[in-house]
Amino acid sequence: MTDHLKRTPLFETHSLMNAKILEFAGWDMPIQYSSILNETKSVRSNAGIFDVSHMGRVEINGPDSVSLLNKLLSANIKNMTYGKGSYNLICNESGGIIDDCIVYRIDEEDFLLIPNASNTDIVLDWLYEWMSTSQKVHIKNVSSDYSMIAHQGPRAADMLNNLTNTNITTMKPFTITSTEIIGVEILLARTGYTGEDGFELIIPNKHAPKVWTMLTDSGSLPCGLGARDVLR
């Protein structure tokens, strides 16, 4: 670990659990807790949780948000229904890939874009470059305001359903909703990077350790980026 690296709001939680922490994309991130094999098996057969707070979170809203995003993302933004997400590419003028992201349509004019960790600033610069002064679009990088936990595995839905105030088992893949978990308001998306069913929870920073502990107490195994790479 080095002092110049960024740390997520869950860093102290990982340290207390004796996670092996190494540099990843400019962040101190947990690579494993017990063993990569055990963590991988848990996600395949039960459930595991990952700290993915290093990913970007960018809010885009305003009357011209659809027009701007439809020009810059490979997804058909105009046809997205509320509460849906879409995997997409952001390309440069030559067709090269700047980043692959997920975009969620929260409602008519409100969107949430999830860039990859090391590309968040690059994506923001690209959005600003193509946004004209006449467009009514507001872009806000909220990456440092929220944590993000991925809860993945065949039992993830049932585990989370016992902790939320809505029936999340009926959520379809690539949808997003606002709900509460142990009294904390969060955004919950049925997405993930493991190949298993699962969810990603976007949580106000101060509540992230409490939610993480509640998930582990419910039987979900803490997992590092080593297991995530194997699962992908």
Side-chain angles (χ1 to χ4, degrees):
M1 295 179 288
T2 54
D3 292 337
H4 70 280
L5 295 177
K6 298 177 183 178
R7 292 174 174 176
T8 78
L10 287 163
F11 176 81
E12 294 300 328
T13 301
H14 304 318
S15 297
L16 290 172
M17 299 181 71
N18 296 317
K20 181 178 181 180
I21 296 175
L22 295 174
E23 178 181 358
F24 178 81
W27 294 76
D28 275 332
M29 294 298 294
I31 303 302
Q32 65 185 83
Y33 296 83
S34 53
S35 78
I36 292 176
L37 182 59
N38 286 342
E39 293 164 21
T40 300
K41 286 181 177 178
S42 182
V43 175
R44 290 291 189 227
S45 61
N46 187 49
I49 51 174
F50 302 79
D51 180 8
V52 290
S53 304
H54 60 304
M55 302 287 286
R57 289 164 291 283
V58 179
E59 294 178 350
I60 302 157
N61 53 65
D64 294 321
S65 55
V66 172
S67 175
L68 177 67
L69 292 175
N70 215 43
K71 178 165 62 176
L72 298 182
L73 308 186
S74 62
N76 189 337
I77 303 300
K78 290 182 180 179
N79 288 349
M80 286 183 68
T81 55
Y82 306 161
K84 289 286 289 183
S86 179
Y87 176 74
N88 68 94
L89 301 177
I90 302 176
C91 296
N92 60 28
E93 293 171 289
S94 301
I97 298 173
I98 294 173
D99 198 15
D100 61 332
C101 304
I102 294 179
V103 62
Y104 299 101
R105 187 169 197 171
I106 308 301
D107 58 32
E108 178 68 22
E109 299 178 356
D110 295 326
F111 294 85
L112 179 65
L113 187 67
I114 311 292
N116 285 289
S118 59
N119 289 332
T120 300
D121 289 340
I122 298 171
V123 169
L124 280 166
D125 289 343
W126 190 247
L127 291 172
Y128 283 121
E129 181 175 339
W130 288 95
M131 185 179 71
S132 69
T133 55
S134 62
Q135 281 185 311
K136 297 178 180 178
V137 181
H138 180 66
I139 299 171
K140 184 178 181 181
N141 182 7
V142 296
S143 303
S144 61
D145 298 327
Y146 296 90
S147 300
M148 195 167 173
I149 297 174
H151 190 215
Q152 305 284 295
R155 293 197 59 233
D158 288 337
M159 286 182 179
L160 272 177
N161 206 48
N162 292 329
L163 302 174
T164 57
N165 64 348
T166 55
N167 182 10
I168 64 167
T169 61
T170 60
M171 286 180 65
K172 294 182 179 180
F174 280 85
T175 58
I176 191 168
T177 189
S178 178
T179 186
E180 286 188 5
I181 180 170
I182 55 173
V184 177
E185 187 173 341
I186 67 168
L187 281 176
L188 181 68
R190 197 158 197 169
T191 48
Y193 290 85
T194 62
E196 293 291 336
D197 186 18
F199 299 81
E200 290 175 308
L201 297 74
I202 299 174
I203 310 157
N205 284 335
K206 66 179 181 179
H207 298 298
K210 180 170 67 173
V211 172
W212 179 275
T213 300
M214 182 64 70
L215 292 172
T216 58
D217 289 347
S218 298
S220 193
L221 186 71
C223 299
L225 297 183
R228 191 183 74 157
D229 285 348
V230 172
L231 290 158
R232 294 179 71 183

